[in-house]
Amino acid sequence: VNVAILGFGTVGSGIYEILKTNKEQIAKKCGEEINVKYILDVRDFSSHPDAHLFTNDFNVILNDDSVDLVCEVIGGIEPSLTFSRESLLKGKSVVTSNKELVATNGTALMKCAKENGAVYLFEAAVGGGIPLIRPMYRCLAGNNIKRIMGILNGTTNYILTKMFDEGQSFEDALSDAQAKGYAERNPAADIEGKDTCRKIAILSSLVYGKSINCDLIETEGITNIDSDDVKYAEKAGGAIKLVGYSEVSEKSVYARVSPMLISGGNPLFCAKDVFNAALITGDNVGDVMFYGPGAGKLPTASAVVGDIIDICMNANAFMSWDEGADSDVDLSGSAKCGALVRVALEDAAAVKEKYADALKIEGVKAGECAYLIPSMTVSESKKIKCIKVILTEENYVIC
Ligand code: HSE
């Protein structure tokens, strides 16, 4: 099987390394050798030991009929979209880690793959190295998946962990995550929640069976989280995580991305540093937790290589969902949640009056306190007169 790697950045170089290092085991599993025939990159790799593999002309790859499979790990929309579509039109299967492309153009690319006898797979697009998409899509196929709660961005989880466990500043933790190769080229997509939004859109689309428009998913990142929030969260026996949340019914999907206070009793609490975790609730299986490294060179490349091997071994490998409509996204705000609400002392009585079962947390900052409110609707949470609201699960349990 001849493979071309499009993009020799963090993930692309990881794929090459794994295919080279584990060549024999992979060949044994596939029944045939996986041979990297080309690496596409616009940069100069003339001093690379395998310089002969590099090209900056995509047409060389496209017009070589011996290339069976293309790994698109360039990222972003263009030229990734054009390269992926043209490869599929020629019957070459495409595997990718490109969540932006899958979230925005996945429906069309999967359709194009099907029409041309090829496959479009994207295990690495959500959860980095965690086997998540295929197990959720296939092994949990006997369930109606009701809810997904996911820590789906390694960079923000790394930052929040450093803020909680080491009292590090947001800026230092972000620089560290960038240096380790976790962050996007423009880390705004990480810290503002856009990356998580794309990932929860992909998972929701797979579960719902129709594409969910990520532009309709209400998205808040972690740039607003400060050291006082950290103290309140600790007093409440939890930690703040950036969560992609989705409730899926037959009729619609309610989804959001927001910082959430996660109780010490919730399995998601244990996902720290660059680790991702997804807690999936099926009607038959109950809660299932997927956990592992959510970003980084070799973990992400491991998932891409898994897709390559799946295509080689399994003639029926495929993923798909149908075209969706904006009405598939529930924008009513009627979903239930709990909340940690920071209020100025003069507004505290009004909150207590409205939510008699709210639990008061004091002693973090002069002139304010916080309430843990067990249950309300998401739209209600936006109407409280307060300093800040951090959502929790409904009926948050203090540990
Ligand atoms: N920037 C992403 C993250 C990379 O931090 O999770 C993996 O998708």
Side-chain angles (χ1 to χ4, degrees):
V1 176
N2 285 316
V3 168
I5 300 172
L6 312 186
F8 202 64
T10 308
V11 182
S13 57
I15 296 167
Y16 185 62
E17 192 177 320
I18 293 177
L19 288 176
K20 207 168 170 176
T21 316
N22 292 352
K23 198 175 179 68
E24 279 167 27
Q25 299 96 294
I26 292 172
K28 229 183 246 176
K29 283 177 198 152
C30 292
E32 48 197 335
E33 218 170 80
I34 311 278
N35 172 46
V36 176
K37 187 154 186 196
Y38 300 105
I39 300 172
L40 179 82
D41 204 293
V42 286
R43 292 165 297 173
D44 177 20
F45 283 95
S46 51
S47 52
H48 190 277
D50 295 315
H52 65 282
L53 297 177
F54 285 83
T55 175
N56 55 21
D57 182 0
F58 174 66
N59 286 316
V60 170
I61 296 167
L62 188 66
N63 296 324
D64 184 337
D65 290 338
S66 75
V67 174
D68 311 286
L69 202 151
V70 168
C71 307
E72 183 276 298
V73 285
I74 301 168
I77 301 295
E78 284 296 358
S80 306
L81 175 58
T82 303
F83 291 172
S84 300
R85 192 196 294 119
E86 290 187 359
S87 301
L88 293 168
L89 286 169
K90 284 247 183 183
K92 301 178 197 298
S93 287
V94 175
V95 300
T96 188
S97 58
N98 188 337
K99 51 262 159 140
E100 187 176 357
L101 190 60
V102 178
T104 52
N105 289 274
T107 319
L109 290 170
M110 285 184 278
K111 188 163 176 262
C112 181
K114 202 170 173 192
E115 287 167 358
N116 290 281
V119 178
Y120 186 64
L121 292 184
F122 43 88
E123 182 62 59
V126 185
I130 310 173
L132 168 58
I133 288 183
R134 199 173 297 115
M136 194 188 78
Y137 189 71
R138 295 206 190 287
C139 309
L140 297 181
N143 290 264
N144 290 307
I145 305 288
K146 300 289 189 195
R147 192 184 72 166
I148 304 167
M149 268 181 92
I151 297 169
L152 303 174
N153 182 270
T155 301
T156 46
N157 206 30
Y158 187 85
I159 294 170
L160 289 170
T161 304
K162 296 285 165 197
M163 287 172 76
F164 268 82
D165 293 359
E166 294 171 26
Q168 243 190 49
S169 74
F170 181 93
E171 290 74 22
D172 285 353
L174 172 59
S175 308
D176 209 7
Q178 284 178 291
K180 290 191 158 95
Y182 303 151
E184 298 300 299
R185 234 170 287 166
N186 177 0
D190 297 296
I191 61 179
E192 287 167 11
K194 198 71 201 159
D195 182 72
T196 299
C197 172
R198 290 169 184 142
K199 291 167 176 170
I200 196 69
I202 293 171
L203 295 183
S204 305
S205 302
L206 277 168
V207 168
Y208 185 57
K210 289 197 224 173
S211 69
I212 294 302
N213 180 353
C214 46
D215 292 336
L216 295 178
I217 298 178
E218 199 171 330
T219 300
E220 183 192 339
I222 62 164
T223 49
N224 205 19
I225 299 297
D226 60 32
S227 56
D228 292 321
D229 300 324
V230 169
K231 287 179 198 147
Y232 279 116
E234 282 171 345
K235 277 185 173 262
I240 298 167
K241 308 277 188 188
L242 184 65
V243 173
Y245 184 96
S246 166
E247 283 174 14
V248 186
S249 72
E250 263 173 49
K251 291 186 193 134
S252 65
V253 173
Y254 162 70
R256 69 163 187 266
V257 175
S258 71
M260 278 184 83
L261 172 64
I262 299 291
S263 161
N266 185 315
L268 290 174
F269 179 85
C270 299
K272 295 194 173 194
D273 293 313
V274 73
F275 284 87
N276 281 192
L279 190 61
I280 313 268
T281 309
D283 57 354
N284 295 313
V285 72
D287 284 345
V288 176
M289 168 102 154
F290 296 88
Y291 170 84
K297 175 175 164 169
L298 293 175
T300 310
S302 149
V304 177
V305 171
D307 276 348
I308 298 173
I309 296 172
D310 194 41
I311 291 172
C312 295
M313 291 175 72
N314 179 5
N316 296 316
F318 74 96
M319 288 284 152
S320 79
W321 60 64
D322 295 334
E323 189 99 33
D326 285 355
S327 57
D328 292 315
V329 181
D330 175 4
L331 300 172
S332 70
S334 61
K336 288 298 194 83
C337 63
L340 174 80
V341 183
R342 282 174 63 180
V343 285
L345 288 182
E346 62 265 29
D347 298 322
V351 173
K352 187 67 191 171
E353 195 179 325
K354 181 148 193 214
Y355 301 100
D357 50 358
L359 187 86
K360 194 173 190 182
I361 304 176
E362 294 175 284
V364 168
K365 197 175 181 189
E368 65 168 78
C369 66
Y371 283 100
L372 257 176
I373 302 174
S375 180
M376 67 178 89
T377 62
V378 171
S379 61
E380 233 180 300
S381 75
K382 292 177 185 158
K383 292 178 193 147
I384 301 172
K385 189 171 179 224
C386 63
I387 298 164
K388 196 182 285 186
V389 176
I390 297 170
L391 298 183
T392 69
E393 268 192 275
E394 198 184 11
N395 301 317
Y396 178 93
V397 177
I398 298 184
C399 283

